[in-house]
Amino acid sequence: PRAAFFKRISAVSAAVLCDQFYLPGMPCPDQLAMAVALDPQAVIAEVVDVRAGVEVEGQYGRGMLAIDWNHTSGAPNAHVITRVYKDAALKMMQAGL
């Protein structure tokens, strides 16, 4: 029943991604974040330390996370996950469904 429910609530998003952006499947950022929180060592393949901040004035994109990938604006203040073990994350997601 949980898998069927997930399929129903995800169908529209998956169809839009496929029809308008030609992307098969769909990203599951919330589920991935939960997998990282539950078992980071099993899911995280690569982390990069960067300087990051949230744009709050609305000049460029209110609420946008800005990342200094070149380390020119100061000491790192965030760990950004740049690669995950997809099979481990999918296995955890499937176990939940």
Side-chain angles (χ1 to χ4, degrees), residues 22-96:
Y22 308 106
L23 298 172
M26 88 177 207
C28 297
D30 296 333
Q31 294 84 347
L32 183 56
M34 195 70 228
V36 167
L38 291 171
D39 195 352
Q41 292 185 344
V43 178
I44 299 172
E46 182 179 86
V47 176
V48 176
D49 293 334
V50 296
R51 182 79 178 168
V54 177
E55 203 277 304
V56 295
E57 295 179 20
Q59 184 175 0
Y60 300 107
R62 187 178 181 113
M64 180 179 74
L65 179 66
I67 298 174
D68 178 6
W69 294 104
N70 298 316
H71 308 284
T72 59
S73 63
N77 65 351
H79 307 294
V80 176
I81 299 168
T82 55
R83 196 165 56 87
V84 297
Y85 296 116
K86 182 177 87 174
D87 291 342
L90 285 174
K91 186 176 179 181
M92 290 177 73
M93 189 169 146
Q94 289 169 340

Side-chain angles (χ1 to χ4, degrees), residues 7-26:
K7 186 175 180 179
R8 278 195 318 274
I9 66 171
S10 304
V12 172
S13 296
V16 168
L17 288 170
C18 183
D19 297 342
Q20 294 183 11
F21 300 101
Y22 308 106
L23 298 172
M26 88 177 207

